[in-house]
Amino acid sequence: MEKSLTLKLAVLLYDGFELLDVFGPLEVFGQCDNQFEISLIGENEIIQAYQGQRLVTDYKLDDNTEKFDVILVPGGLGSRQQIYSSKLGDWLIKHNQAAQYILSVCTGAVFLAQYGLLSNKRATTNKMAMDWVMEFGENIHWQKKARWVVDGQIWTSSGVSAGIDMSLAFVAELFGFEYAKAVADKIEYVWNADSDCDPFYLHGL
Amino acid sequence: MEKSLTLKLAVLLYDGFELLDVFGPLEVFGQCDNQFEISLIGENEIIQAYQGQRLVTDYKLDDNTEKFDVILVPGGLGSRQQIYSSKLGDWLIKHNQAAQYILSVCTGAVFLAQYGLLSNKRATTNKMAMDWVMEFGENIHWQKKARWVVDGQIWTSSGVSAGIDMSLAFVAELFGFEYAKAVADKIEYVWNADSDCDPFYLHGL
């Protein structure tokens, strides 16, 4: 491994988040020999996924938490309402300052767009929701054909399952390709390690 | 779709379950136009994943619940302890009677083996844990090379991510291949629809 410091990773949850947007990446990060210390953050103690399951958060948005090294923002149909609440945005703006990396999956990118994190950057999002997401933010170079996009500290993935591929690539960036491949093999996941290989480009646009 | 009745699906949770074993399948079933009514079942109100995240259960094991049409049993390192508790087994034996289908992911198969559900059946499990799982049950025809195995009402998958492929195949069985493919496309998942195609056979054995 190239780094060995534990990274504090926060997942920004909200009611109506998409299950796999969160648990695909957390499966990957959770298999990295405790290299990630994972916290769930949300407005309330209980946050409900779009599919109905309820998660217990580790911290509320108002809590005076430590700094986080990595922030993961999931998508989900709940983002259609939550984007008009400033609470998630306030938290994101505050914690963006200290974070080394910001990751979004699927329509999670809409929060990054709305709160200025994607200005003058390349980014991507869910295929079928791209027209909606593109209404937010300014001067964003949206990539319609990409499994995921890296621009500086910002990693954005396409829809749902693409978050798993991106998370493995993020692990490869931190700890090396062989380490990431071993994680993929351990969870018996066929990793698409090429961000330009986007099998769903033709489906949604 | 070939069927339109809502299926009541129970997920049998325990402390130390593997995140993606549960949330891969639930992502798939949750995208099926409310064809599945999903309940989380566990010994306590809060069940903690191996990776640390806490889920709120809908029912406890002792609750006098309705019958479930489908039961999903995840794997995870927690199974190494939980297999020696009879509580999950008692629940499984009781609810197996009424269920139309039993699904396991990864080492979830160890519970099916231990409590007699796999006797004289073909089944599979996680590659790296297969030697351990094979210590349980009797007269089970373990398949070392299989992404998933169907024998009658019992569907067992290989490790972690294989549960997503199996769940899509299960959806195809119920509602047709095209419907399942559309679900896979919607979540931008490259579905391995061939249960005999097992890319990880060489890795773990």
Coordinates of all heavy atoms in Angstrom, one line a residue, chain B residues 78-147:
Chain B
G78 N -20.1 -12.4 10.4 CA -20.9 -12.6 11.5 C -21.5 -14.0 11.5 O -21.9 -14.6 12.6
S79 N -21.7 -14.6 10.4 CA -22.2 -16.0 10.3 C -21.4 -17.0 11.1 O -21.9 -18.0 11.5 CB -22.4 -16.4 8.8 OG -21.1 -16.5 8.2
R80 N -20.1 -16.7 11.2 CA -19.2 -17.7 11.9 C -19.7 -17.8 13.4 O -19.4 -18.9 14.0 CB -17.8 -17.2 11.9 CG -17.3 -16.9 10.5 CD -16.4 -18.0 10.0 NE -16.1 -17.9 8.6 CZ -15.2 -18.7 7.9 NH1 -14.6 -19.6 8.6 NH2 -15.0 -18.5 6.6
Q81 N -20.2 -16.8 14.0 CA -20.8 -16.9 15.3 C -22.3 -17.3 15.3 O -22.7 -18.1 16.1 CB -20.6 -15.6 16.1 CG -19.2 -15.2 16.5 CD -18.5 -14.6 15.3 OE1 -19.0 -13.7 14.7 NE2 -17.2 -15.1 15.1
Q82 N -23.0 -16.6 14.4 CA -24.5 -16.8 14.4 C -24.9 -18.2 14.1 O -26.0 -18.6 14.5 CB -25.1 -15.8 13.4 CG -24.8 -14.3 13.8 CD -25.6 -13.9 15.0 OE1 -26.6 -14.4 15.4 NE2 -25.1 -12.8 15.6
I83 N -24.1 -19.0 13.4 CA -24.5 -20.3 13.0 C -24.6 -21.2 14.3 O -25.3 -22.2 14.3 CB -23.4 -20.9 12.1 CG1 -24.0 -22.2 11.4 CG2 -22.1 -21.2 12.7 CD1 -25.2 -22.0 10.6
Y84 N -24.0 -20.8 15.4 CA -24.1 -21.6 16.6 C -25.3 -21.1 17.5 O -25.4 -21.5 18.7 CB -22.8 -21.5 17.4 CG -21.7 -22.2 16.6 CD1 -20.7 -21.4 16.0 CD2 -21.7 -23.6 16.3 CE1 -19.7 -22.0 15.2 CE2 -20.8 -24.2 15.5 CZ -19.8 -23.4 15.0 OH -18.8 -24.0 14.2
S85 N -26.0 -20.1 17.1 CA -27.2 -19.6 17.8 C -28.4 -20.3 17.1 O -28.6 -20.3 15.9 CB -27.3 -18.1 17.7 OG -28.7 -17.7 17.9
S86 N -29.3 -20.8 17.9 CA -30.5 -21.5 17.3 C -31.6 -20.5 16.9 O -32.5 -20.9 16.3 CB -31.0 -22.5 18.3 OG -31.5 -21.8 19.5
K87 N -31.5 -19.2 17.3 CA -32.6 -18.3 17.1 C -32.9 -18.1 15.6 O -34.0 -18.1 15.2 CB -32.3 -17.0 17.8 CG -32.3 -17.1 19.3 CD -32.1 -15.8 20.0 CE -32.1 -15.9 21.5 NZ -31.8 -14.7 22.2
L88 N -31.8 -17.9 14.9 CA -32.0 -17.7 13.4 C -32.5 -18.9 12.8 O -33.4 -18.9 11.9 CB -30.7 -17.3 12.8 CG -30.1 -15.9 13.1 CD1 -28.7 -15.7 12.4 CD2 -31.0 -14.8 12.7
G89 N -32.0 -20.1 13.3 CA -32.5 -21.4 12.7 C -33.9 -21.6 13.0 O -34.7 -22.1 12.1
D90 N -34.3 -21.3 14.2 CA -35.8 -21.6 14.6 C -36.7 -20.7 13.7 O -37.7 -21.2 13.2 CB -36.0 -21.2 16.1 CG -35.4 -22.1 17.0 OD1 -35.0 -23.2 16.6 OD2 -35.2 -21.8 18.2
W91 N -36.2 -19.5 13.4 CA -37.1 -18.6 12.6 C -37.1 -19.1 11.2 O -38.1 -19.2 10.5 CB -36.5 -17.2 12.6 CG -37.3 -16.2 11.9 CD1 -38.3 -15.4 12.5 CD2 -37.4 -15.9 10.5 NE1 -38.9 -14.6 11.6 CE2 -38.4 -14.9 10.3 CE3 -36.7 -16.3 9.4 CZ2 -38.7 -14.3 9.1 CZ3 -37.0 -15.8 8.1 CH2 -38.0 -14.8 8.0
L92 N -35.9 -19.6 10.7 CA -35.8 -20.1 9.3 C -36.6 -21.3 9.1 O -37.4 -21.5 8.1 CB -34.3 -20.3 9.0 CG -33.9 -20.5 7.6 CD1 -34.3 -19.4 6.7 CD2 -32.4 -20.8 7.5
I93 N -36.6 -22.2 10.0 CA -37.3 -23.5 9.9 C -38.8 -23.2 9.9 O -39.6 -23.7 9.1 CB -37.0 -24.4 11.1 CG1 -35.6 -25.0 10.9 CG2 -38.0 -25.6 11.2 CD1 -35.0 -25.7 12.1
K94 N -39.2 -22.3 10.8 CA -40.7 -21.9 10.9 C -41.2 -21.3 9.6 O -42.2 -21.7 9.1 CB -40.9 -21.0 12.1 CG -42.3 -20.5 12.3 CD -42.4 -19.5 13.4 CE -43.8 -18.8 13.4 NZ -43.8 -17.7 14.4
H95 N -40.4 -20.3 9.1 CA -40.9 -19.6 8.0 C -40.6 -20.3 6.6 O -41.2 -19.9 5.6 CB -40.3 -18.2 8.0 CG -40.9 -17.3 9.0 ND1 -42.0 -16.5 8.8 CD2 -40.7 -17.1 10.3 CE1 -42.4 -15.9 9.9 NE2 -41.6 -16.2 10.8
N96 N -39.7 -21.2 6.6 CA -39.4 -22.0 5.4 C -40.7 -22.7 4.9 O -40.9 -22.9 3.7 CB -38.3 -23.0 5.7 CG -38.0 -23.9 4.5 OD1 -38.0 -23.4 3.4 ND2 -37.9 -25.2 4.8
Q97 N -41.5 -23.1 5.9 CA -42.7 -23.9 5.5 C -43.6 -23.1 4.5 O -44.1 -23.7 3.6 CB -43.6 -24.1 6.8 CG -42.8 -24.8 8.0 CD -42.5 -26.2 7.7 OE1 -43.2 -26.9 7.0 NE2 -41.4 -26.7 8.3
A98 N -43.8 -21.8 4.8 CA -44.8 -21.1 4.0 C -44.1 -20.4 2.8 O -44.8 -20.0 1.9 CB -45.4 -20.0 4.9
A99 N -42.8 -20.2 2.8 CA -42.2 -19.5 1.8 C -42.2 -20.2 0.4 O -42.0 -21.4 0.4 CB -40.7 -19.1 2.2
Q100 N -42.3 -19.4 -0.6 CA -42.2 -20.0 -2.0 C -40.8 -20.2 -2.4 O -40.5 -21.0 -3.2 CB -43.0 -19.1 -3.0 CG -44.5 -19.0 -2.8 CD -45.1 -18.0 -3.8 OE1 -44.8 -18.1 -5.0 NE2 -45.8 -17.1 -3.3
Y101 N -40.0 -19.2 -1.9 CA -38.6 -19.2 -2.4 C -37.7 -18.9 -1.2 O -38.0 -18.0 -0.4 CB -38.3 -18.2 -3.5 CG -39.1 -18.3 -4.7 CD1 -40.3 -17.6 -4.9 CD2 -38.7 -19.2 -5.7 CE1 -41.1 -17.8 -6.1 CE2 -39.5 -19.4 -6.9 CZ -40.6 -18.6 -7.1 OH -41.4 -18.8 -8.2
I102 N -36.5 -19.5 -1.1 CA -35.5 -19.2 -0.2 C -34.2 -18.8 -1.0 O -33.8 -19.6 -1.9 CB -35.1 -20.3 0.7 CG1 -36.3 -21.0 1.4 CG2 -34.1 -19.9 1.8 CD1 -37.0 -20.2 2.4
L103 N -33.7 -17.6 -0.7 CA -32.5 -17.1 -1.4 C -31.4 -16.9 -0.4 O -31.6 -16.4 0.7 CB -32.7 -15.8 -2.1 CG -33.5 -15.7 -3.4 CD1 -34.9 -16.4 -3.3 CD2 -33.6 -14.3 -3.8
S104 N -30.1 -17.4 -0.7 CA -29.0 -17.0 0.1 C -27.9 -16.4 -0.7 O -27.8 -16.7 -1.9 CB -28.5 -18.2 0.9 OG -27.8 -19.1 0.1
V105 N -27.1 -15.5 -0.1 CA -26.0 -14.9 -0.8 C -24.8 -15.3 0.1 O -24.8 -15.2 1.3 CB -26.2 -13.4 -0.8 CG1 -24.9 -12.7 -1.5 CG2 -27.4 -13.0 -1.6
C106 N -23.7 -15.7 -0.6 CA -22.4 -15.8 0.0 C -22.5 -16.9 1.1 O -23.2 -17.9 0.9 CB -22.0 -14.5 0.6 SG -20.2 -14.3 1.0
T107 N -22.0 -16.6 2.3 CA -22.0 -17.6 3.4 C -23.4 -17.7 4.1 O -23.6 -18.5 5.0 CB -21.0 -17.3 4.5 OG1 -21.1 -16.0 4.9 CG2 -19.6 -17.5 3.9
G108 N -24.4 -17.0 3.6 CA -25.8 -17.2 4.0 C -26.2 -18.6 3.8 O -27.1 -19.1 4.6
A109 N -25.6 -19.3 2.9 CA -25.9 -20.7 2.6 C -25.7 -21.6 3.8 O -26.2 -22.7 4.0 CB -25.2 -21.2 1.4
V110 N -24.8 -21.2 4.7 CA -24.4 -22.0 5.9 C -25.7 -22.2 6.8 O -25.8 -23.3 7.3 CB -23.2 -21.4 6.7 CG1 -23.7 -20.3 7.6 CG2 -22.6 -22.5 7.5
F111 N -26.5 -21.2 6.8 CA -27.8 -21.4 7.6 C -28.7 -22.4 7.0 O -29.3 -23.2 7.6 CB -28.4 -20.0 7.9 CG -27.6 -19.1 8.6 CD1 -26.9 -18.1 7.9 CD2 -27.5 -19.1 10.0 CE1 -26.1 -17.1 8.6 CE2 -26.7 -18.2 10.7 CZ -26.0 -17.2 10.0
L112 N -28.8 -22.3 5.7 CA -29.7 -23.2 4.9 C -29.1 -24.7 5.1 O -29.9 -25.6 5.2 CB -29.7 -22.8 3.5 CG -30.7 -21.7 3.0 CD1 -30.4 -20.4 3.8 CD2 -30.6 -21.5 1.5
A113 N -27.8 -24.8 5.1 CA -27.2 -26.1 5.2 C -27.5 -26.7 6.6 O -28.0 -27.8 6.8 CB -25.7 -26.0 5.0
Q114 N -27.1 -25.9 7.6 CA -27.2 -26.3 9.0 C -28.7 -26.7 9.4 O -28.9 -27.7 10.2 CB -26.7 -25.2 9.9 CG -27.0 -25.4 11.4 CD -26.0 -26.4 12.0 OE1 -25.4 -27.2 11.3 NE2 -26.0 -26.5 13.3
Y115 N -29.7 -26.0 8.8 CA -31.0 -26.3 9.3 C -31.8 -27.1 8.3 O -33.0 -27.1 8.2 CB -31.7 -24.9 9.6 CG -31.0 -24.3 10.8 CD1 -30.2 -23.2 10.6 CD2 -31.2 -24.8 12.0 CE1 -29.5 -22.6 11.7 CE2 -30.5 -24.3 13.1 CZ -29.7 -23.2 12.9 OH -29.0 -22.7 14.0
G116 N -31.1 -27.9 7.4 CA -31.7 -28.9 6.6 C -32.3 -28.5 5.3 O -32.9 -29.4 4.6
L117 N -32.3 -27.2 5.0 CA -33.0 -26.8 3.8 C -32.3 -27.2 2.5 O -32.8 -27.2 1.4 CB -33.1 -25.3 3.7 CG -34.2 -24.7 4.6 CD1 -34.0 -24.9 6.1 CD2 -34.4 -23.2 4.3
L118 N -31.0 -27.7 2.6 CA -30.2 -28.0 1.4 C -30.0 -29.5 1.2 O -29.3 -29.9 0.3 CB -28.9 -27.3 1.4 CG -28.9 -25.8 1.4 CD1 -27.4 -25.3 1.4 CD2 -29.6 -25.3 0.2
S119 N -30.6 -30.3 2.1 CA -30.4 -31.8 2.0 C -30.9 -32.3 0.6 O -32.0 -32.0 0.1 CB -31.3 -32.5 3.1 OG -30.8 -32.1 4.3
N120 N -29.9 -33.0 0.0 CA -30.2 -33.6 -1.3 C -30.4 -32.6 -2.4 O -31.0 -32.9 -3.4 CB -31.4 -34.6 -1.3 CG -31.2 -35.7 -0.3 OD1 -30.1 -36.4 -0.3 ND2 -32.1 -35.8 0.6
K121 N -29.9 -31.4 -2.2 CA -30.0 -30.3 -3.2 C -28.6 -29.9 -3.6 O -27.6 -30.0 -2.9 CB -30.8 -29.1 -2.6 CG -32.3 -29.4 -2.5 CD -33.0 -28.1 -2.1 CE -34.5 -28.4 -1.9 NZ -35.2 -28.8 -3.1
R122 N -28.6 -29.2 -4.8 CA -27.4 -28.6 -5.3 C -27.4 -27.2 -4.7 O -28.4 -26.5 -4.7 CB -27.3 -28.6 -6.8 CG -27.2 -30.0 -7.4 CD -27.1 -29.9 -8.9 NE -28.2 -29.1 -9.5 CZ -28.0 -27.9 -10.1 NH1 -26.8 -27.5 -10.3 NH2 -29.0 -27.3 -10.6
A123 N -26.2 -26.6 -4.4 CA -26.1 -25.3 -3.8 C -24.7 -24.8 -4.0 O -23.7 -25.5 -4.2 CB -26.5 -25.3 -2.3
T124 N -24.5 -23.5 -3.8 CA -23.1 -22.9 -3.8 C -23.0 -21.8 -2.7 O -24.0 -21.5 -2.0 CB -22.8 -22.3 -5.2 OG1 -21.3 -22.2 -5.2 CG2 -23.5 -21.0 -5.5
T125 N -21.8 -21.3 -2.6 CA -21.5 -20.3 -1.5 C -20.3 -19.5 -1.9 O -19.7 -19.7 -3.0 CB -21.4 -21.0 -0.1 OG1 -21.3 -20.0 0.9 CG2 -20.2 -22.0 -0.1
N126 N -19.8 -18.7 -1.0 CA -18.6 -17.9 -1.2 C -17.4 -18.8 -1.5 O -17.2 -19.8 -0.8 CB -18.4 -17.1 0.1 CG -17.2 -16.2 0.0 OD1 -16.0 -16.7 0.0 ND2 -17.4 -14.9 -0.1
K127 N -16.6 -18.4 -2.5 CA -15.5 -19.2 -2.9 C -14.5 -19.5 -1.7 O -14.1 -20.6 -1.4 CB -14.7 -18.5 -4.0 CG -15.4 -18.4 -5.2 CD -15.5 -19.7 -6.0 CE -16.4 -19.5 -7.2 NZ -17.8 -19.4 -6.9
M128 N -14.1 -18.4 -1.0 CA -13.1 -18.5 0.0 C -13.6 -19.1 1.3 O -12.8 -19.6 2.1 CB -12.5 -17.1 0.3 CG -11.6 -16.6 -0.8 SD -10.9 -15.0 -0.5 CE -12.3 -13.9 -0.8
A129 N -14.9 -19.2 1.5 CA -15.4 -19.8 2.7 C -16.0 -21.1 2.5 O -16.6 -21.7 3.4 CB -16.5 -18.8 3.3
M130 N -15.8 -21.7 1.3 CA -16.6 -22.9 0.9 C -16.2 -24.1 1.8 O -17.0 -24.9 2.3 CB -16.3 -23.3 -0.6 CG -17.2 -24.4 -1.0 SD -17.3 -24.6 -2.8 CE -18.8 -23.6 -3.2
D131 N -14.9 -24.2 2.1 CA -14.5 -25.3 3.0 C -15.2 -25.3 4.3 O -15.6 -26.3 4.9 CB -12.9 -25.3 3.2 CG -12.2 -25.7 1.9 OD1 -12.9 -26.3 1.0 OD2 -11.0 -25.5 1.8
W132 N -15.3 -24.1 4.9 CA -16.0 -23.9 6.1 C -17.5 -24.3 6.0 O -18.0 -25.0 6.8 CB -15.8 -22.5 6.7 CG -16.6 -22.2 7.9 CD1 -16.4 -22.8 9.2 CD2 -17.7 -21.4 8.1 NE1 -17.3 -22.3 10.1 CE2 -18.2 -21.5 9.4 CE3 -18.5 -20.6 7.2 CZ2 -19.3 -20.8 9.9 CZ3 -19.6 -19.9 7.6 CH2 -20.0 -20.0 9.0
V133 N -18.1 -23.7 5.0 CA -19.6 -23.9 4.8 C -19.9 -25.4 4.6 O -20.9 -25.9 5.2 CB -20.1 -23.1 3.7 CG1 -21.6 -23.4 3.4 CG2 -20.0 -21.6 4.0
M134 N -19.0 -26.1 3.9 CA -19.2 -27.5 3.6 C -19.2 -28.4 4.9 O -19.6 -29.6 4.8 CB -18.2 -28.0 2.6 CG -18.5 -27.4 1.2 SD -17.2 -27.8 0.0 CE -17.3 -29.6 -0.1
E135 N -18.7 -27.8 6.0 CA -18.7 -28.6 7.2 C -20.2 -28.8 7.8 O -20.4 -29.6 8.7 CB -17.9 -27.9 8.3 CG -16.4 -27.9 8.0 CD -15.6 -27.0 9.0 OE1 -16.2 -26.7 10.0 OE2 -14.4 -26.7 8.7
F136 N -21.1 -28.0 7.3 CA -22.4 -28.0 7.8 C -23.4 -28.7 6.9 O -23.3 -28.8 5.7 CB -22.9 -26.6 8.1 CG -22.1 -25.8 9.1 CD1 -20.9 -25.2 8.7 CD2 -22.5 -25.8 10.4 CE1 -20.1 -24.6 9.6 CE2 -21.7 -25.1 11.3 CZ -20.5 -24.5 11.0
G137 N -24.4 -29.4 7.5 CA -25.5 -30.1 6.8 C -25.0 -31.4 6.3 O -23.8 -31.8 6.4
E138 N -25.9 -32.1 5.6 CA -25.6 -33.4 5.1 C -26.2 -33.6 3.7 O -27.2 -33.1 3.4 CB -26.2 -34.5 6.1 CG -25.4 -34.6 7.4 CD -26.0 -35.6 8.3 OE1 -27.1 -36.2 8.0 OE2 -25.5 -35.8 9.4
N139 N -25.5 -34.5 2.9 CA -26.0 -34.8 1.6 C -26.3 -33.6 0.7 O -27.4 -33.5 0.1 CB -27.3 -35.7 1.7 CG -27.0 -37.0 2.4 OD1 -26.0 -37.6 2.2 ND2 -28.0 -37.4 3.3
I140 N -25.4 -32.6 0.8 CA -25.6 -31.4 0.0 C -24.6 -31.5 -1.2 O -23.4 -31.8 -1.0 CB -25.3 -30.2 0.8 CG1 -26.2 -30.1 2.0 CG2 -25.4 -28.9 -0.1 CD1 -25.8 -29.1 3.0
H141 N -25.1 -31.2 -2.4 CA -24.3 -31.3 -3.6 C -23.7 -29.9 -3.9 O -24.2 -29.2 -4.7 CB -25.1 -31.8 -4.8 CG -25.8 -33.1 -4.4 ND1 -25.2 -34.3 -4.1 CD2 -27.2 -33.4 -4.4 CE1 -26.1 -35.2 -3.8 NE2 -27.3 -34.7 -4.0
W142 N -22.6 -29.6 -3.2 CA -22.0 -28.3 -3.4 C -21.4 -28.1 -4.7 O -20.6 -29.0 -5.2 CB -20.9 -28.1 -2.3 CG -21.5 -27.9 -0.9 CD1 -21.4 -28.9 0.1 CD2 -22.2 -26.8 -0.4 NE1 -22.1 -28.4 1.2 CE2 -22.6 -27.2 1.0 CE3 -22.6 -25.6 -0.9 CZ2 -23.3 -26.3 1.8 CZ3 -23.4 -24.7 -0.1 CH2 -23.7 -25.1 1.2
Q143 N -21.7 -27.0 -5.4 CA -21.2 -26.7 -6.7 C -20.1 -25.6 -6.5 O -20.3 -24.5 -6.1 CB -22.3 -26.1 -7.6 CG -23.5 -26.9 -7.6 CD -23.3 -28.3 -8.3 OE1 -22.9 -28.3 -9.5 NE2 -23.6 -29.4 -7.6
K144 N -18.8 -26.0 -6.8 CA -17.7 -25.1 -6.6 C -17.6 -24.1 -7.7 O -17.1 -23.0 -7.6 CB -16.4 -25.9 -6.5 CG -16.4 -26.7 -5.2 CD -15.0 -27.3 -5.0 CE -15.0 -28.1 -3.6 NZ -13.7 -28.6 -3.2
K145 N -18.1 -24.4 -8.9 CA -18.0 -23.5 -10.0 C -19.4 -23.1 -10.4 O -20.1 -23.9 -11.1 CB -17.3 -24.1 -11.2 CG -17.2 -23.2 -12.4 CD -16.4 -23.8 -13.6 CE -16.2 -22.8 -14.7 NZ -17.4 -22.4 -15.4
A146 N -19.9 -22.0 -9.9 CA -21.2 -21.5 -10.2 C -21.4 -20.1 -9.7 O -20.9 -19.8 -8.6 CB -22.3 -22.4 -9.5
R147 N -21.9 -19.2 -10.5 CA -22.2 -17.8 -10.0 C -23.4 -17.9 -9.1 O -23.4 -17.2 -8.1 CB -22.5 -16.9 -11.2 CG -22.6 -15.4 -10.9 CD -21.3 -14.8 -10.5 NE -21.4 -13.4 -10.4 CZ -20.5 -12.6 -9.7 NH1 -19.5 -13.1 -9.1 NH2 -20.7 -11.3 -9.7

